[in-house]
Amino acid sequence: MIRKASAAWRGTGRDGEGALSSQSGVLNETPYSFKTRFEDQPGTNPEELIAAAHAGCFTMALAFALQREGFTPTELSTEAAVSLDQDGAGFRITRSALTLRARVPGLSEAKFREVAEAAEKTCPVSRVLNAEITLDALLED
């Protein structure tokens, strides 16, 4: 399975503007810029999208893990807080903190922690945060 998204950018890093689009159409020329990334102007940014992907992936992984254990959650709610920090001359994502609130009838606290920790380790987005990155770059006129 391959999922795609694209980014377009016009102008300089600080004063330019870009747009993000996704294969599904959920993002369709969604604006992003220095101001949406570092100054909380309306729009999105890569870290927010990574946080949404991490929260969604982990929560679904947990739902499947609970199902395998014979439990049906009433509700799973996860927030991911992604930290972008200065790293030398650039920046890097240093942390993704998941905060989970769950309602799962009949599940003990110990089993809940066991299943949640395993789900975090097997969530594909958790795993990609340390993945090898490849680049196929082409400069067009």
Side-chain angles (χ1 to χ4, degrees), residues 17 31-45:
E17 295 180 343
Y32 81 111
S33 67
F34 179 88
K35 291 177 182 178
T36 66
R37 194 171 194 184
F38 297 105
E39 298 177 4
D40 293 328
Q41 183 172 323
T44 193
N45 60 73

Side-chain angles (χ1 to χ4, degrees), residues 34-115:
F34 179 88
K35 291 177 182 178
T36 66
R37 194 171 194 184
F38 297 105
E39 298 177 4
D40 293 328
Q41 183 172 323
T44 193
N45 60 73
E47 293 73 33
E48 174 182 76
L49 297 173
I50 289 170
H54 200 193
C57 181
F58 165 72
T59 305
M60 185 180 279
L62 179 56
F64 276 108
L66 288 167
Q67 179 182 350
R68 281 190 301 275
E69 295 290 333
F71 296 98
T72 301
T74 304
E75 183 176 2
L76 302 173
S77 177
T78 306
E79 176 184 86
V82 170
S83 299
L84 180 68
D85 295 311
Q86 188 99 33
D87 183 31
F91 290 86
R92 75 180 192 94
I93 292 173
T94 58
R95 185 173 192 218
S96 180
L98 296 171
T99 302
L100 167 66
R101 298 294 180 258
R103 290 189 183 113
V104 187
L107 184 62
S108 72
E109 182 69 28
K111 187 66 170 176
F112 171 68
R113 291 197 180 283
E114 173 191 323
V115 175

